[in-house]
Amino acid sequence: MIFRTVKELAANLRDSGANARFMEMLELRQRMFREHRETILTLDQYDLISDHVLLYSEKTGALIGY
């Protein structure tokens, strides 16, 4: 596994790398929610101020968890 982080997104909105990782996380979350319950919001009140740890597959490079 490869670990990457997104820290203080709200303070670093111009960081294209952090934004791309954050959008990957939202896409994964939305796919999971769509399968289970479509009424759940993609974002919550803490997403822009929290640090996020993202887990990627070492073989494929795909995001597998956060």
Side-chain angles (χ1 to χ4, degrees):
M1 265 189 254
I2 300 169
F3 296 91
R4 294 194 176 114
T5 59
V6 176
K7 293 185 176 188
E8 300 179 35
L9 184 66
N12 296 295
L13 291 175
R14 294 183 187 266
D15 182 342
S16 61
N19 285 331
R21 287 188 298 274
F22 185 73
M23 291 306 294
E24 281 182 300
M25 185 188 81
L26 291 180
E27 180 184 349
L28 178 65
R29 186 188 302 178
Q30 189 60 38
R31 282 196 318 259
M32 289 187 311
F33 287 154
R34 192 177 307 128
E35 291 179 18
H36 299 286
R37 188 172 178 191
E38 292 185 6
T39 59
I40 298 175
L41 294 175
T42 300
L43 290 171
D44 67 31
Q45 60 191 358
Y46 298 105
D47 280 329
L48 293 177
I49 60 171
S50 298
D51 293 343
H52 303 279
V53 177
L54 291 77
L55 310 171
Y56 291 85
S57 167
E58 199 164 350
K59 288 183 180 181
T60 65
L63 180 63
I64 57 176
Y66 61 91

